[in-house]
Each structure stands twice: as structure tokens, then as C-alpha cells.
Amino acid sequence: MKYTALILFAMLFSTAVIERYAPVGDRIKTDWASQVSPSNVLPEYPRPLMVRPDWQNLNGLWQYAITPKGDKAPSVYDGDILVPFCIESSLSGVQKTVGQDSALWYERTFSIPNEWKNDRVLLHFGAVDWMTDVWVNDIKVGSHTGGYAPFTFDITQALSGKNNKLVVRVWDPTDKSYIPRGKQVTNPSGIFYTSVTGIWQTVWLEPVPEAYIRTINTTPDLEKASVKVDVDFSNPSADDLYWVEVSYEGEKVAESKSINGQPVEVNMPENFLLWTPDHPFLYDLKVKVLRKGKTIDVVDSYFAMRSFGTQRDDSGIVRLTLNGKPIFQFGPLDQGWWPDGLYTAPTDEALAYDVQKTKDFGFNMIRKHVKVEPARWYYHCDRLGIIVWQDMPSGDRGPGWNTTEYFKGSESVRSVESEENYKKEWTEIITALKSQPCIGVWVPFNESWGQFKTVEIVEMTKKLDPTRLVNPASGGNFYQCGDILDLHHYPDPKMVLYDPTRATVLGEYGGIGRKVDGHTWVKDQGWGYVEFDTEEKVTDTYVEYANTLYKMIPQGFSAAVYTQTTDCETELNGLMTYDRKVIKLDEKRLFEINRKISHALAE
């Protein structure tokens, strides 16, 4: 009887919590929005590249308050917010603007399972935009600046008993400062969108041993038929043994060990499988740390055997390569925005959908445009077989454009604070993502937005990750550094400059617009670089541009990016509507021409 009463109480409590929440606003939404509830908010494990079996998801209803920037924590909160959706979004249940003169506060309680009593407890944030301060039980546990990289605090010493209070304060100046912000602005219009403030990726707890694996980094080497695994261990000892096992489809294929903190070099079998968009083979990885024969910590991961590079073809044109073979990389400009969650997809299924449709459309690449995604997005690209060009989110001011020749003017001069912050955030982004097999190109600057010290930033990027290509400034001011010359031309493809020493690519073109009634952000409003009113006309124009592009491949183009995956707010030039409910072109014709282009250099 007592047990039944507890079940009834839990059901009533759950119902009451759900009734406290509802999406707000009357804008269009995706079908996945209806699946979002406080008891089921992005429940998937958030870090596929380093998995431990035990964790606690802190997504759900928190309390929020907006206060003047310098005020102390509020004694009374304004209401509920659904984490991890930013406060400006519909799915947050709030949809309010914070602004540079205010701070956003979050509060919730959590309990620690009894099974964790002998462990250290880590508090993980997938991403928070922009300046974050965190307290547990009124004890300051850490601070972080940056809107796009994950960060972690060890909160063990701040824990107290079963119930613990977590408070987060966020300040975000958006476009009123030098900070990286991508497409966010205070007053959205045109190609710029609604601001995003606060928590926008999963918040979670993880128990770890006293000495534990902080990160692992994998680097495949095709020539040596090996993979190097760097293990960052929190409290290393001379007695530590790092042990790595590689398996495929449940069968062990290789293993290796090291001591004295050395990277583990694992020799792969001679017939190892290569990762390509058509065959995205992934190997499973298990990493253990043993001390005096006893396992201290173990994590599961994965990696792929693949390499990115450039080489000249028989005509002397510099081509992009995958695994030493030329490949024409072709894909959409992907903004990664959602009408209901803004920066945050409503569900993991939704997050994967855009990647899957990109494959269905016949593309082999995505340019992730001035935004960084949650770790699970890159996992979906890894497993589905999509090469990613990763932009650095833009910020600060640039020197203006000179895109018809190599730039001879003065570069933008940033403040010391702005430069240091750019380098810090770009370093954190690359460090977090460089083990993802899908990433083939780093893009430090988009056009000339915030472009500064281009040669130095390219060298810095190469030093952080010498295994990827660097596209210095996609459509920006051109300097002879890095691996790629990247042109932008709307709406049709055109080669306005050619570089005989680097790969020449068309980093943006297209933007064919079509308004679909009932699926626009602003009713009966929006724009494209060119606009048509039927599926047939849009498809005909797309195919016309694509055939023009195809004919320019022998002339020197080695990759191309079409604008864009979906409509975004008032931009109506997507292959799909913003709510993902309508594919705006004939999908069969789209696939046929895209497949032809993406395989143009295949032997």
C-alpha cells in the first residue's frame, strides 16, 4: 500500500512539473518540438568520444531570474526555464531577451547517488554563452568564458549531504562586444539571427575515481598503419600503465600499452578499413589505466582510419584528398539553427536529421557555419559519413573586403583583450573537436568578419592540429597561407581568382529562395539571393548552377559549398524550410546532380 502511494505521488508530481512547462510564442516549430518535456530533455549521453557508464543528466526545469548585471544572486526567481534551451527560444518556456546590462541566473537542486560516495564528482557544461560563474551550495566552484566549448568543474569538496544547490550566473553582451558570436545579433534581420544567452547544451554530472582519465586524443597514421592515443590522466604515477584495445563489430583487432605517460601507439592490421563518406567505418576503442595491476579508470571511445591532405593532379591543379586520393568535397552551408530551440535542436533525432538529409541529398560534406555543435552532432557526421569544414564563430570587426585580388591593405587591429579571447576560444574549440574523424578543414575566419593577423592565426591553427587542412578566410581577404583559397560568389558559381599553389574552392554560392506558405519565420516575409515560387523552378535553377559548377571542376575548383541546408529566420534560401517540414526541391534530381559532382574526381 505504501509503495502504491509513492508511485501515485511520483505520477502526480511528474504531471505537476509537466503542467508548469509549455513552449511559448507563435512562431513555426519542428515536429520534434512536441516530443520535448521536462522529464525527457535530450536524454542521450552527451560525449560519445569518451564514455563512462555512470552519469546524471541535469537537463530539465530550473529556476531563472534576470537581474541588473552587478546584482547578487536573487532571493526570488522569476519562474521556470527548460535547460538546455536558451532563454530567447520558444522551447525554454520563457522567450525573453537578456541584454548586455543584465545577468541571467539559474538555480536547481540535485542529489548524489549513494553509489558515488567514494568518487569524485564532475560537473560538465556542454556549452554556455558567454561568461559563466558557478556555485554549489553557495561555494564558488569555477568560472568560464566562451560560448562554444565544453567545460568541467570538480565539485566534490562543495557537496553536502543528499540535496545540493546549484547556481549559475551568465552574462552575454552578444554583438555589443568583441566576443565570438557567429550570426547572433541584438536586433535580428537579414542574414543575422536572434541572440542566444546562457546554457544551450546538456548539463550533467559524472562520478570518476580519485585519479581519472581527463581526456583522450586519437591520431590515425595511414602510412604507419597505426593510431596514436594520447591519455591525459589527472594524477599520473610512475606505476601507471596505459592499455588500449581496438575492436570492430565486437572483435578485438589490436592492442598496445605504454608507461611513463607516453602516448599509446597501436599497430593496426594490414587490412584495416578506411573511413570515407561512402563507407564510414569506425573502430571502437577502450582505454584503461592500471596501477600495480589494478584498473583505476576505463573509458570507451571510437576513431577512424583516415587522412586529409592536398596533391596535384595530372593537370597541375591542387586537389583536396581523403586517404591520399582526390575527392571533390561538396556540401551545404549549415547554420545549425532551429525555429523552436535556436542554437539547440529539440531532440537528438532532430540533430541527426539534418546530417542524414545532407547524405540523402547526395552531398559528402557540410560547412558548419560560424557555429559549433554539440558533440553528438559530430558523432552523427562520423557514423553517417560526412566531412565537416568547421568555422570559428565570428566576432569583433574586420577591415572590410578586397576579394578580387590578394589583400594589400591593413589588417584589422583588435585590442589585446580581443586577440587573447579569440585565441583562447579557438584553442578550446579545436582541442574539444580534433579527435572527431569527420572534421577535415578548420576555417578561422568567415569572409572578413573579425579577420586579423591571418598568417599568425593560420600558423596557430596548424600547430594546434597539424593533421587537418586550414582554410584561412572563407570568402575573406586572401593571404598566401594555409591550404585553401576560398571564393564566395552569389548566386551562380564563378571563379574570380585562382591559386596555382593551393586548392581553389567555392566556399559559398547559390542561395536560391522559395517561400512556402505556412512555413516561414515571419508570415509572408523573407528573402533569397534569387527567388522562385515553385519546386520545379527552384530545382531547375539549382541544377543549372550545379552543371555550371561541374564544368568548372576541370578548370580548377576542388570543392564547393551551396547556401544552404535550411531556411533560417527570414532567410528563405534553404533546401528545406526552417521547420524541416518541406523539402523545397525535387529530391531525386537533387541527389542525382549532387552525387555526380561529389564523385567527379573519383577514380
Side-chain angles (χ1 to χ4, degrees):
M1 190 73 174
K2 181 179 179 182
Y3 182 68
T4 302
L6 286 172
I7 293 176
L8 288 171
F9 174 78
M11 291 174 63
L12 289 170
F13 178 76
S14 177
T15 301
V17 168
I18 292 172
E19 287 177 350
R20 281 165 45 194
Y21 167 78
V24 294
D26 57 2
R27 303 275 196 182
I28 56 173
K29 296 178 177 60
T30 66
D31 286 338
W32 297 284
S34 63
Q35 302 172 19
V36 176
S37 72
S39 60
N40 188 38
V41 190
L42 297 172
E44 295 79 14
Y45 191 83
R47 191 185 56 194
L49 268 181
M50 204 173 98
V51 178
R52 290 188 179 93
D54 208 1
W55 69 294
Q56 182 178 333
N57 195 333
L58 295 185
N59 292 343
L61 284 181
W62 296 39
Q63 292 282 289
Y64 85 92
I66 299 172
T67 69
K69 180 183 173 184
D71 282 11
K72 295 180 179 179
S75 56
V76 177
Y77 281 76
D78 298 341
D80 296 320
I81 185 170
L82 191 63
V83 168
F85 299 106
C86 70
I87 193 169
E88 294 91 345
S89 71
S90 170
L91 288 177
S92 71
V94 181
Q95 205 173 61
K96 291 181 180 178
T97 300
V98 179
Q100 65 171 336
D101 297 322
S102 300
L104 172 61
W105 294 82
Y106 298 83
E107 182 180 313
R108 66 158 291 161
T109 59
F110 64 90
S111 59
I112 298 297
N114 291 331
E115 295 80 7
W116 296 10
K117 64 181 180 181
N118 295 321
D119 294 313
R120 304 204 69 79
V121 177
L122 305 181
L123 172 62
H124 298 284
F125 292 86
V128 183
D129 195 2
W130 177 75
M131 178 183 289
T132 309
D133 297 287
V134 182
W135 293 261
V136 173
N137 296 322
D138 298 321
I139 299 171
K140 185 76 173 286
V141 298
S143 299
H144 181 264
T145 55
Y148 299 96
F151 56 96
T152 299
F153 303 125
D154 185 332
I155 62 171
T156 310
Q157 295 304 110
L159 297 174
S160 175
K162 187 170 181 61
N163 293 316
N164 296 271
K165 182 175 71 170
L166 172 59
V167 173
V168 178
R169 178 181 63 194
V170 180
W171 175 70
D172 180 19
T174 310
D175 55 350
K176 307 302 181 185
S177 176
Y178 55 77
I179 69 170
R181 57 182 172 84
K183 289 291 194 80
Q184 302 177 57
V185 291
T186 305
N187 298 303
S189 65
I191 65 169
F192 296 102
Y193 318 138
T194 305
S195 58
V196 170
T197 302
I199 299 168
W200 67 274
Q201 290 187 30
T202 292
V203 185
W204 55 294
L205 297 170
E206 180 183 34
V208 296
E210 190 68 30
Y212 62 95
I213 299 169
R214 283 191 290 222
T215 60
I216 58 173
N217 182 48
T218 56
T219 307
D221 189 321
L222 302 194
E223 291 186 3
K224 293 181 179 178
S226 67
V227 59
K228 183 177 74 171
V229 182
D230 288 284
V231 181
D232 179 12
F233 199 59
S234 66
N235 293 297
S237 163
D239 296 322
D240 294 343
L241 174 73
Y242 298 166
W243 177 86
V244 173
E245 178 183 279
V246 175
S247 61
Y248 182 72
E249 294 184 340
E251 296 292 329
K252 184 172 77 171
V253 298
E255 69 174 346
S256 190
K257 302 170 186 176
S258 73
I259 60 172
N260 296 323
Q262 292 299 298
V264 183
E265 302 272 357
V266 184
N267 294 319
M268 298 293 288
E270 291 184 2
N271 60 342
F272 65 82
L273 301 170
L274 292 171
W275 184 95
T276 69
D278 288 338
H279 302 286
F281 295 114
L282 298 176
Y283 285 96
D284 293 320
L285 195 69
K286 187 178 290 291
V287 180
K288 289 183 181 181
V289 178
L290 296 89
R291 184 171 292 172
K292 296 181 179 179
K294 181 181 178 182
T295 299
I296 301 240
D297 195 12
V298 57
V299 295
D300 291 311
S301 185
Y302 68 89
F303 71 99
M305 295 298 290
R306 56 95 192 93
S307 66
F308 296 100
T310 61
Q311 67 181 29
R312 291 188 184 276
D313 66 11
D314 293 341
S315 301
I317 297 170
V318 178
R319 299 296 188 186
L320 305 180
T321 63
L322 174 63
N323 306 328
K325 295 182 178 180
I327 179 174
F328 192 88
Q329 297 185 24
F330 184 40
L333 192 74
D334 192 323
Q335 311 279 3
W337 286 71
W338 301 83
D340 32 40
L342 297 182
Y343 256 19
T344 310
T347 67
D348 190 64
E349 181 184 359
L351 190 68
Y353 178 82
D354 283 4
V355 181
Q356 182 61 64
K357 292 312 296 181
T358 300
K359 288 285 290 188
D360 295 344
F361 294 155
F363 295 114
N364 61 10
M365 175 263 278
I366 289 171
R367 181 179 167 206
K368 178 50 59 178
H369 192 41
V370 294
K371 186 199 175 196
V372 179
E373 293 290 352
R376 292 194 63 85
W377 184 85
Y378 300 93
Y379 163 68
H380 294 312
C381 292
D382 292 337
R383 69 178 181 83
L384 292 171
I386 284 285
I387 298 167
V388 174
W389 291 17
Q390 180 60 58
D391 286 12
M392 169 64 175
S394 52
D396 215 330
R397 297 181 179 180
W401 276 321
N402 184 351
T403 57
T404 58
E405 60 183 19
Y406 287 103
F407 190 63
K408 298 179 176 64
S410 300
E411 288 206 89
S412 176
V413 178
R414 294 195 181 205
S415 67
V416 172
E417 187 179 34
S418 175
E419 279 196 29
E420 289 178 348
N421 184 76
Y422 174 98
K423 292 175 182 177
K424 169 190 173 294
E425 293 203 41
W426 189 220
T427 297
E428 288 182 347
I429 290 167
I430 293 174
T431 301
L433 297 179
K434 67 180 180 179
S435 285
Q436 301 288 167
C438 61
I439 294 179
V441 177
W442 299 114
V443 189
F445 300 110
N446 174 67
E447 297 177 344
S448 65
W449 301 358
Q451 187 176 350
F452 76 103
K453 294 186 176 179
T454 307
V455 174
E456 178 184 330
I457 296 302
V458 167
E459 291 174 351
M460 168 190 157
T461 305
K462 280 285 190 183
K463 186 174 181 180
L464 286 168
D465 181 11
T467 72
R468 285 358 188 273
L469 302 176
V470 178
N471 180 353
S474 180
N477 294 322
F478 305 133
Y479 296 82
Q480 288 185 307
C481 58
D483 304 291
I484 292 170
L485 170 69
D486 185 322
L487 313 173
H488 290 183
H489 191 273
Y490 286 100
D492 57 321
K494 188 171 288 187
M495 187 182 294
V496 297
L497 195 64
Y498 174 75
D499 190 333
T501 65
R502 298 178 294 169
T504 301
V505 309
L506 184 61
E508 292 183 29
Y509 84 98
I512 303 168
R514 175 190 165 203
K515 177 169 66 69
V516 181
D517 291 338
H519 300 274
T520 57
W521 180 249
V522 179
K523 187 177 181 181
D524 300 326
Q525 292 184 31
W527 67 277
Y529 289 91
V530 291
E531 298 178 42
F532 301 97
D533 57 3
T534 68
E535 176 188 288
E536 183 179 16
K537 290 178 182 177
V538 172
T539 305
D540 286 346
T541 307
Y542 181 92
V543 172
E544 176 190 340
Y545 289 172
N547 278 319
T548 300
L549 172 65
Y550 183 77
K551 293 174 183 177
M552 298 176 78
I553 295 173
Q555 300 172 23
F557 271 145
S558 293
V561 178
Y562 177 81
T563 302
Q564 57 191 354
T565 306
T566 72
D567 295 347
C568 285
E569 299 202 356
T570 57
E571 287 190 60
L572 302 182
N573 46 32
L575 299 169
M576 298 183 284
T577 55
Y578 197 18
D579 57 13
R580 278 69 168 176
K581 293 179 181 180
V582 179
I583 296 170
K584 298 198 291 180
L585 289 76
D586 182 319
E587 191 168 352
K588 183 175 182 293
R589 293 178 64 194
L590 185 66
F591 173 82
E592 288 172 350
I593 187 63
N594 287 349
R595 183 80 173 175
K596 178 181 175 181
I597 291 172
S598 62
H599 285 70
L601 299 179
E603 296 179 352

